[in-house]
Amino acid sequence: MYDIPELERKWLSYKIKKTLKPILAVTVLIFAAILVFLFIPSVKIYDSQPEKSVNNNIQKTIVSETSAESSPEEGLKTTFQASSVSSTPPIVAKTKKPVKLEPSFNFMYGLEEEVLGYYDEPTEQKEQMQHRPIEPLQPKAPVNTEPKQDHIVTSKQIGIRSKHETIQKSAEKNNITKKGGSAFEKTDTIEKLDINRKSDEKDIQDVIKRFKKNKNPALSLFVAKRFYAIGNYQQSYNYALITNELNSDIEDSWLIFAKSLVKLDQKEMAISTLESYIESSRSIKAKLLLDSIRNGMMK
Amino acid sequence: MSNSLFRTSKDLFLDVVDSNEYVQLDRVSVVYSALRESIKKPLKMILLYGRPGTGKSMMLHKLYRDLFEEQKVVLYQTPIIDESEFLRSLAYDVYDHKIEGELNFTRFNELGLNYEFDTPPLVLLDEAQLYSPALMEKIRLISDSRKIKFIITLHKTEQEDLIAKEHFQTRIWESQQLFNATPSELKIYIQKKLLRSNSFDIANMFNDKNVKIIHRFTSGNYRDTNKLLYLLFDLYEWYEENRPSKISYTKISNKMIEMAAIQGGFLHV
């Protein structure tokens, strides 16, 4: 016959094991999760310390360069200004990547006066410029010395006037009589032109305002593209640079940046910038652009 | 609830091959019907195979019982290893010819020429994997003469597959495989067995969870299930006699199933 007490003891042992198994598993998982949770931040702190100390000099240089180079953008009240004033190192990720693009910053020095017009803190900006550690490699004379707003208006007016003339010509061809109406028509067209121009400018300014608030690189890229489209290459350069600072992975930003440089007669810098970018990103578009710049197709 | 009820239930699950205990399940019925159809075909050999405990012997018994009155049918439950003994037994059971002394293969064939049957006699060989290759070759030759039709059962193992391959590859024209029961089939199996002996109360004590636990321990193997249930009812019987307050008469206790599994070696602690 059965040894029932022994059988019951075995069953109890089995039951305890069966019940404890999931409990133990869950406990181990919880402990593991807690350990991981505690361990990861400690690793970060541990890692970040030497990084700070090792890269201290580099960061300082970068920051000072950034502050000097980004001084035109100080009007935007970006983090660069804060970092340079308080000498608190910015986030490593932000400072690391621009190192690759060091040559491009030099060109910024020539743009300081132009950028001042966009931001409302010229005094502070000048103070920042005094702390600039490296002498600008590029001549101080800005590439585009003319006020860009006028340039925009002129190009628009010319474009639309010529359009108007074309319309007039086509109307003449179609034997449409416009006696005494031509002067009025012309005035009307100019008024329309003014409205359009203001609208474009307003759009960009609106986007710039939004960008100042949220520092969204998509907005700065949009502004850079718009400026490039209307021929304000200096500003397109500036905003492409800002975009690159915020997010160095946006291909379009680099392309606009390089194109703007070409337009600003900084072909060599554009080439070196694109070469650096291609090296890190393997971008085909950048490669094509580089080829076209080298071949002289992009002017 | 009387003592005899658990005892009766326990006895139902004794590991005996009795065609009266055959439980008709859907999937098994399909195999059985296919087997019956195969017998009608002019096949020399039919193979019934499956893992141990899937009900091959039981099906062979049922077939024997069902065909017994219709045609000449012989069932060898245990293999006759000696060739002369096997042929003598075959001569006696198939041709009703008793031979004293040795009987070789040639003489057996000569004997067969003297008999004619409307339907070829059917010989059911259980555990055919135990026959020697030489004897299996003789069986194959006898089946080739179409004087006798064979149904053989084999365990489905790698080695036995080899036997089937070597000896019957070109001769077995039909084969049927039996499988372990699914949990739902197992429940039907248990309840049908209990209901057949009017153990309605016991049958109603099993719920799906009980059956799932049983299936977990036995993998749906009928032989293992019989063993586990025998032990289960044996335990119930003991508790009923010694500690009646410890058992419930409304449902089967999972604890008891697990204890039976420990006792039967299905569960290692």
Side-chain angles (χ1 to χ4, degrees):
Chain A
M1 201 54 210
Y2 302 120
D3 181 1
I4 296 296
E6 175 64 13
L7 197 57
E8 283 191 333
R9 191 195 59 74
K10 281 183 179 175
W11 176 82
L12 195 67
S13 161
Y14 158 75
K15 204 69 187 172
I16 289 166
K17 276 184 194 171
K18 195 183 168 188
T19 314
L20 281 180
K21 263 185 190 174
I23 294 169
L24 277 173
V26 171
T27 313
V28 166
L29 276 175
I30 290 167
F31 268 104
I34 290 167
L35 280 174
V36 168
F37 186 73
L38 292 172
F39 182 69
I40 285 175
S42 67
V43 167
K44 273 188 177 175
I45 290 160
Y46 178 78
D47 287 348
S48 62
Q49 290 304 326
E51 197 172 317
K52 270 186 183 175
S53 60
V54 169
N55 296 328
N56 199 24
N57 292 330
I58 300 166
Q59 277 182 1
K60 273 183 183 171
T61 313
I62 294 161
V63 167
S64 58
E65 280 178 17
T66 314
S67 65
E69 287 157 7
S70 67
S71 55
E73 287 89 34
E74 278 165 2
L76 292 171
K77 295 174 185 174
T78 60
T79 52
F80 310 123
Q81 185 190 11
S83 63
S84 62
V85 170
S86 63
S87 78
T88 310
I91 300 164
V92 177
K94 279 187 179 176
T95 54
K96 267 187 179 173
K97 289 189 177 174
V99 173
K100 289 180 187 173
L101 302 170
E102 200 172 350
S104 69
F105 294 148
N106 297 328
F107 184 69
M108 282 295 294
Y109 302 141
L111 305 171
E112 56 191 14
E113 286 173 17
E114 183 60 36
V115 176
L116 272 174
Y118 277 89
Y119 308 115
D120 302 331
E121 295 167 359
T123 319
E124 239 181 279
Q125 142 82 35
K126 278 177 184 171
E127 282 169 13
Q128 289 297 323
M129 293 303 292
Q130 283 169 3
H131 293 295
R132 201 165 58 198
I134 304 165
E135 282 300 313
L137 296 174
Q138 297 304 321
K140 284 228 171 186
V143 178
N144 289 332
T145 49
E146 288 176 25
K148 293 299 157 189
Q149 297 299 335
D150 293 347
H151 177 70
I152 297 163
V153 175
T154 313
S155 63
K156 276 281 174 189
Q157 281 175 341
I158 289 165
I160 297 169
R161 271 177 190 158
S162 60
K163 193 180 176 184
H164 174 67
E165 282 168 16
T166 316
I167 293 164
Q168 271 188 326
K169 279 178 186 174
S170 62
E172 282 167 14
K173 275 183 186 174
N174 293 330
N175 297 322
I176 299 166
T177 52
K178 294 178 179 178
K179 288 175 184 176
S182 61
F184 169 75
E185 205 171 282
K186 199 170 184 179
T187 315
D188 188 42
T189 314
I190 290 162
E191 276 173 15
K192 278 181 185 173
L193 286 172
D194 285 338
I195 290 162
N196 286 340
R197 179 181 60 77
K198 280 174 186 170
S199 171
D200 275 353
E201 205 173 295
K202 195 171 178 291
D203 283 349
I204 294 173
Q205 290 307 323
D206 283 347
V207 177
I208 289 171
K209 274 180 190 172
R210 281 168 57 204
F211 171 69
K212 284 177 185 176
K213 282 180 186 169
N214 62 19
K215 301 288 180 294
N216 185 345
L219 295 177
S220 52
L221 177 60
F222 173 80
V223 173
K225 281 184 175 176
R226 291 298 306 148
F227 274 129
Y228 186 85
I230 63 175
N232 190 342
Y233 303 120
Q234 197 166 344
Q235 287 304 326
S236 68
Y237 168 87
N238 291 337
Y239 278 96
L241 183 62
I242 291 166
T243 310
N244 291 343
E245 293 275 357
L246 293 172
N247 185 348
S248 59
D249 296 330
I250 303 172
E251 186 182 52
D252 280 1
S253 175
W254 289 104
L255 300 180
I256 287 286
F257 182 77
K259 281 182 186 174
S260 302
L261 281 172
V262 173
K263 293 288 184 188
L264 295 167
D265 293 331
Q266 299 294 326
K267 194 176 169 184
E268 289 307 314
M269 192 174 287
I271 289 169
S272 65
T273 305
L274 280 174
E275 280 172 346
S276 305
Y277 179 63
I278 290 164
E279 200 177 320
S280 62
S281 69
R282 309 283 173 206
S283 162
I284 293 168
K285 278 186 183 175
K287 217 167 188 178
L288 290 170
L289 180 61
L290 180 64
D291 289 345
S292 64
I293 291 169
R294 277 179 176 157
N295 297 337
M297 289 166 73
M298 167 80 194
K299 287 177 183 175
Chain B
M1 184 82 55
S2 68
N3 285 351
S4 63
L5 195 57
F6 282 122
R7 187 172 295 129
T8 310
S9 303
K10 182 179 80 174
D11 292 343
L12 289 172
F13 293 96
L14 276 170
D15 189 24
V16 289
V17 182
D18 182 356
S19 57
N20 291 319
E21 298 294 322
Y22 182 82
V23 177
Q24 198 81 310
L25 298 168
D26 287 353
R27 206 157 43 138
V28 178
S29 295
V30 170
V31 175
Y32 181 76
S33 303
L35 206 58
R36 289 290 301 265
E37 287 301 312
S38 303
I39 292 164
K40 292 175 190 167
K41 293 176 192 170
L43 305 173
K44 294 175 186 173
M45 271 191 173
I46 298 159
L47 174 66
L48 180 64
Y49 67 102
R51 295 204 168 275
T54 48
K56 297 183 295 292
S57 300
M58 185 65 97
M59 187 167 282
L60 222 51
H61 268 259
K62 179 164 171 56
L63 201 62
Y64 175 77
R65 195 187 67 182
D66 291 351
L67 293 174
F68 186 74
E69 292 182 354
E70 295 175 17
Q71 67 176 94
K72 187 85 177 174
V73 57
V74 178
L75 169 65
Y76 292 134
Q77 293 180 62
T78 49
I80 304 166
I81 306 300
D82 181 70
E83 186 183 317
S84 177
E85 177 73 22
F86 176 78
L87 293 175
R88 272 207 311 272
S89 301
L90 211 56
Y92 182 74
D93 293 328
V94 175
Y95 303 130
D96 295 323
H97 190 94
K98 193 168 183 179
I99 294 175
E100 297 295 332
E102 289 291 310
L103 176 64
N104 61 30
F105 180 68
T106 311
R107 205 175 153 203
F108 177 83
N109 280 337
E110 285 169 0
L111 185 68
L113 294 173
N114 300 323
Y115 298 90
E116 283 294 330
F117 295 93
D118 294 335
T119 310
L122 185 66
V123 177
L124 311 174
L125 299 178
D126 200 4
E127 307 282 1
Q129 73 277 359
L130 297 176
Y131 288 93
S132 68
L135 186 52
M136 284 309 294
E137 191 62 19
K138 303 283 188 315
I139 292 166
R140 180 184 70 77
L141 290 169
I142 294 167
S143 71
D144 276 352
S145 71
R146 293 186 183 274
K147 290 282 181 188
I148 300 171
K149 189 181 277 187
F150 287 91
I151 293 182
I152 62 169
T153 67
L154 286 174
H155 287 174
K156 192 182 184 300
T157 63
E158 204 172 310
Q159 195 186 349
E160 284 129 21
D161 277 351
L162 195 69
I163 292 169
K165 208 173 184 179
E166 284 176 354
H167 296 280
F168 310 117
Q169 200 171 32
T170 55
R171 282 149 190 99
I172 293 166
W173 290 1
E174 187 126 343
S175 63
Q176 296 293 335
Q177 186 175 5
L178 285 167
F179 298 93
N180 284 337
T182 60
S184 54
E185 284 174 338
L186 201 64
K187 190 177 182 185
I188 295 167
Y189 172 78
I190 293 165
Q191 292 193 324
K192 274 194 173 183
K193 272 207 154 199
L194 291 165
L195 293 174
R196 190 176 285 173
S197 65
N198 298 325
S199 301
F200 300 105
D201 294 331
I202 303 285
N204 287 333
M205 284 168 73
F206 282 90
N207 58 33
D208 288 345
K209 197 175 177 186
N210 296 145
V211 177
K212 271 187 184 173
I213 292 170
I214 293 167
H215 189 271
R216 186 153 53 92
F217 291 134
T218 65
S219 303
N221 186 284
Y222 294 105
R223 189 173 290 149
D224 289 343
T225 303
N226 286 346
K227 183 182 172 185
L228 182 63
L229 288 173
Y230 178 88
L231 290 168
L232 174 69
F233 291 123
D234 207 19
L235 277 175
Y236 262 104
E237 197 183 348
W238 186 91
Y239 272 92
E240 193 174 47
E241 281 174 14
N242 300 289
R243 295 180 200 168
S245 62
K246 293 268 182 184
I247 56 171
S248 161
Y249 292 100
T250 55
K251 60 176 183 181
I252 295 290
S253 156
N254 290 337
K255 177 188 171 182
M256 294 293 255
I257 296 172
E258 285 162 353
M259 281 172 67
I262 292 167
Q263 182 67 28
F266 298 104
L267 194 57
H268 301 286
V269 182

